[in-house]
Amino acid sequence: MKIAIFSDIHANIYALEAVLAAITREKPAKIFCLGDLVGYAPFPNEVIGFLRQEDIPTILGNYDDGVGFERADCGCVYRDPELERLGRISLEWTKVHTTEKNKSYLRSLPKEIRLEAEGKSFLLVHGSPRKLNEYVYADRPQATLERIAQSAQADVLLFGHTHLPYQKQVGRVLFINAGSVGKPKDGDTRAGYVLLELSASGIEAEFRRVLYAVDVVAMAIKEHGLPEQFARQLKSASL
């Protein structure tokens, strides 16, 4: 049985279309999105419309929460004042340009999905089981990861938010971070997703990357009046 997981599209419709085309060729039994549909790029309505059209079960991300509920911030953590300033520009732009119908859709998204498959239990979240916007990096202290694993109450924890794909066994819980479709931060500009192969013998996770028209999206970012820094980040897949 195959399950496809992806996360953090961030209004990049070109990356999303490329990923869904690749996933469709694999013919998975299930497809899930782990949230953050909007922010940073200029196609929030197109991304939401595409996911709704494809009827893909989707988790509420922190950016979706910020836009859908018209919050003052997106729940992001910025360690640099300049990045925080740019982030606020992105949030305000996205709130203005996302339709009310699509904001209502964002508000309707669940914070988690649980499922059973091949004798294993899965928990799907955006940040962590504890918090919508918790950054679960692979190098977090072991004690912290163990507490997160305990709170998951599942065999497999699937999440995003950091834009950095990885898998790690923490006690009996397998952590899988799906990385990012539309705004990778690991130096690889290609859109990312995870293909899970489930069988009686276990779970195999393949971290897939897909080429898309990065330059086109970078140009669109600038043409729509969003900060040029977002275009540079996209072209370098950097923080």
Side-chain angles (χ1 to χ4, degrees):
M1 178 182 182
K2 292 180 181 179
I3 297 178
I5 306 289
F6 60 88
S7 188
D8 295 275
I9 304 161
H10 286 296
N12 187 336
I13 187 64
Y14 286 81
L16 176 61
E17 290 175 341
V19 161
L20 259 294
I23 287 174
T24 300
R25 289 192 291 271
E26 297 293 336
K27 299 179 179 179
K30 298 178 183 294
I31 305 172
F32 295 97
C33 173
L34 304 183
D36 270 9
L37 282 58
V38 299
Y40 302 110
F43 306 111
N45 296 304
E46 291 84 348
V47 164
I48 294 170
F50 188 82
L51 289 175
R52 296 186 74 176
Q53 174 185 307
E54 297 297 320
D55 196 26
I56 294 172
T58 299
I59 296 289
L60 178 74
N62 59 287
Y63 221 108
D64 308 322
D65 178 84
V67 172
F69 289 95
E70 299 273 2
R71 302 199 192 281
D73 66 71
C74 64
C76 310
V77 175
Y78 299 108
R79 295 182 175 86
D80 181 295
E82 176 61 9
L83 292 179
E84 182 175 4
R85 183 186 72 83
L86 294 172
R88 291 191 180 280
I89 292 173
S90 167
L91 179 63
E92 293 307 316
W93 188 98
T94 305
K95 287 193 294 187
V96 168
H97 290 87
T98 302
T99 68
E100 289 303 320
K101 180 180 178 181
N102 284 333
K103 287 177 184 175
S104 177
Y105 168 74
L106 294 177
R107 292 193 297 272
S108 76
L109 296 176
K111 291 184 178 179
E112 67 174 45
I113 293 174
R114 289 187 179 270
L115 68 138
E116 302 277 336
E118 297 292 340
K120 298 287 186 182
S121 58
F122 296 78
L123 173 62
L124 287 66
V125 296
H126 180 68
S128 87
R130 308 189 301 185
K131 201 172 181 182
L132 186 67
N133 64 339
E134 182 173 15
Y135 292 87
V136 184
Y137 294 108
D139 61 356
R140 292 285 296 273
Q142 185 64 22
T144 299
L145 295 177
E146 288 172 357
R147 287 193 293 271
I148 292 170
Q150 185 176 17
S151 68
Q153 298 184 329
D155 298 310
V156 184
L157 176 62
L158 300 163
F159 58 101
H161 189 47
T162 68
H163 300 211
L164 299 169
Y166 72 87
Q167 67 174 326
K168 184 172 186 174
Q169 190 73 37
V170 181
R172 71 172 189 84
V173 182
L174 178 61
F175 283 37
I176 298 177
N177 188 307
S180 175
V181 169
K183 200 176 186 293
K185 296 180 180 179
D186 61 352
D188 187 337
T189 61
R190 296 174 297 170
Y193 74 98
V194 179
L195 188 67
L196 303 179
E197 184 81 49
L198 281 56
S199 67
S201 60
I203 300 169
E204 181 179 342
E206 280 191 52
F207 292 84
R208 303 284 188 87
R209 301 307 277 259
V210 182
L211 289 168
Y212 76 95
V214 177
D215 288 341
V216 173
V217 182
M219 181 63 70
I221 286 171
K222 292 184 281 188
E223 288 175 347
H224 283 79
L226 285 160
E228 189 172 345
Q229 175 71 4
F230 298 158
R232 291 198 296 268
Q233 289 170 344
L234 203 64
K235 295 174 75 172
S236 64
S238 61
L239 298 172

